[in-house]
Amino acid sequence: MKKFVRIISLVTVLALACMIFASCGKKSDLASVEEEGKLIMLTNAAFPPFEYLGENGETIGVDVEIAQKIAERLGVELEVVDMDFNGIVAALASGKGHIAAAGMTVSEERLKSVDFSVNYVTSAQYMIVPADNTTILTSADLKDKVVGVQEGTTGDLYASGEWDGDFGVKQVLRFSNAVEASTALMNGKCDLVIVDELPAKLIVAQNESVLKLVDTPLTLEDYAIAMRKGSDLSKIINEELQKMIDDGTVEDLILKHTAVQ
Ligand code: GLN
């Protein structure tokens, strides 16, 4: 009998230990999405055509529609959280959202704290210069220039000499989005702006009389959706994304959101 009691107490202690351990362990992302009934996407809504504000202040764009499809597959609502681009990776890693869809370039540095989905867009950094500029043509011409960028982006890293070497830039002016950087350029506060291809093209198209794009790209980059390290959402996200790449949905979305700008 004593032995029986001892076994029962041992089993009880083990069961309690398991429960405590489980409750301390991190909830899986899939479980969290299901429990909350929503997929939370972190982004910076100042990066058209990928994410920008619609007429009623809602965030729309290519990434939002992609994430919407993923949320539908998961059977939940999509919640979009608009924040500074510079804080997105840390916010995602600390659990403030399930995914980050923000025209985000896959980089070694970011891979240290988050995982990435399959790549869905190829992009590049481009230089925007005043329309009458004839001297800034390649990265070699960055020497001694004041460069406007969006803080924390690959354009910022490039201008700062942390992406592809030091180009002897005089000063890097960091803004919270590319439109602000371009406004500074139009006001003569910097010599050029470095920004991703499609946002750069849209900014130039909207200010054609005063700005132009330098034809030669500075980098070659891939956009992917970021997830928390080890996220169990990756299988579904990759499946949905691959489907949308293969059937032309991603391309169509880019055309659609470029046309409305
Ligand atoms: N592709 C760039 C990066 O990942 C810029 C993204 C953005 O500004 N939304 O750094």
Side-chain angles (χ1 to χ4, degrees):
M1 184 63 187
K2 253 198 194 147
K3 198 171 175 197
F4 181 64
V5 170
R6 225 180 295 145
I7 289 174
I8 290 288
S9 359
L10 191 66
V11 168
T12 316
V13 168
L14 278 177
L16 273 175
C18 281
M19 277 162 64
I20 290 167
F21 187 69
S23 66
C24 290
K26 236 199 279 151
K27 214 188 307 157
S28 95
D29 274 349
L30 205 49
S32 145
V33 165
E34 276 163 10
E35 215 169 272
E36 291 172 47
K38 59 188 178 189
L39 175 72
I40 303 173
M41 158 186 161
L42 307 179
T43 199
N44 170 246
F47 197 67
F50 295 96
E51 38 272 330
Y52 55 100
L53 296 178
E55 274 172 14
N56 304 317
E58 76 286 22
T59 306
I60 53 177
V62 176
D63 287 335
V64 181
E65 293 206 41
I66 289 175
Q68 183 64 48
K69 285 259 175 4
I70 294 167
E72 274 165 30
R73 161 87 188 265
L74 290 161
V76 295
E77 298 282 304
L78 176 71
E79 182 180 312
V80 182
V81 178
D82 183 17
M83 58 191 300
D84 268 355
F85 183 81
N86 199 25
I88 292 180
V89 170
L92 178 66
S94 69
K96 299 216 166 64
H98 301 111
I99 60 170
M104 190 178 282
T105 302
V106 178
S107 77
E108 289 301 320
E109 193 55 34
R110 290 172 184 158
L111 275 165
K112 287 182 192 159
S113 34
V114 293
D115 284 348
F116 280 102
S117 68
V118 292
N119 304 332
Y120 64 98
V121 167
T122 305
S123 183
Q125 296 301 310
Y126 274 84
M127 294 189 278
I128 302 177
V129 294
D132 59 0
N133 184 283
T134 52
T135 54
I136 300 174
L137 301 169
T138 71
S139 55
D141 303 319
L142 288 171
K143 192 164 166 37
D144 296 331
K145 298 292 187 305
V146 178
V147 185
V149 297
Q150 179 182 353
E151 186 167 22
T153 60
T154 42
D156 183 356
L157 291 176
Y158 191 89
S160 310
E162 289 167 42
W163 187 264
D164 207 11
D166 189 356
F167 299 102
V169 162
K170 179 173 167 192
Q171 193 188 0
V172 180
L173 297 184
R174 299 182 173 86
F175 298 88
S176 61
N177 63 60
V179 173
E180 280 179 24
S182 306
T183 305
L185 174 61
M186 289 187 271
N187 291 334
K189 301 238 163 31
C190 51
D191 299 306
L192 74 143
V193 163
I194 297 182
V195 70
D196 291 47
E197 180 173 6
L198 294 181
K201 285 183 174 162
L202 287 173
I203 287 169
V204 169
Q206 282 159 3
N207 300 282
E208 242 167 5
S209 56
V210 280
L211 298 179
K212 72 177 177 191
L213 200 70
V214 176
D215 285 338
T216 321
L218 301 173
T219 61
L220 188 60
E221 303 173 24
D222 289 308
Y223 293 170
I225 294 179
M227 292 163 263
R228 283 195 276 176
K229 278 243 163 271
S231 173
D232 56 357
L233 291 171
S234 71
K235 188 170 174 289
I236 286 179
I237 288 177
N238 282 335
E239 273 173 23
E240 284 305 304
L241 204 45
Q242 196 59 56
K243 230 188 287 167
M244 287 184 260
I245 295 165
D246 293 344
D247 70 9
T249 302
V250 173
E251 222 169 284
D252 288 349
L253 288 174
I254 290 174
L255 290 175
K256 169 180 157 188
H257 288 283
T258 302
V260 294
Q261 294 300 314

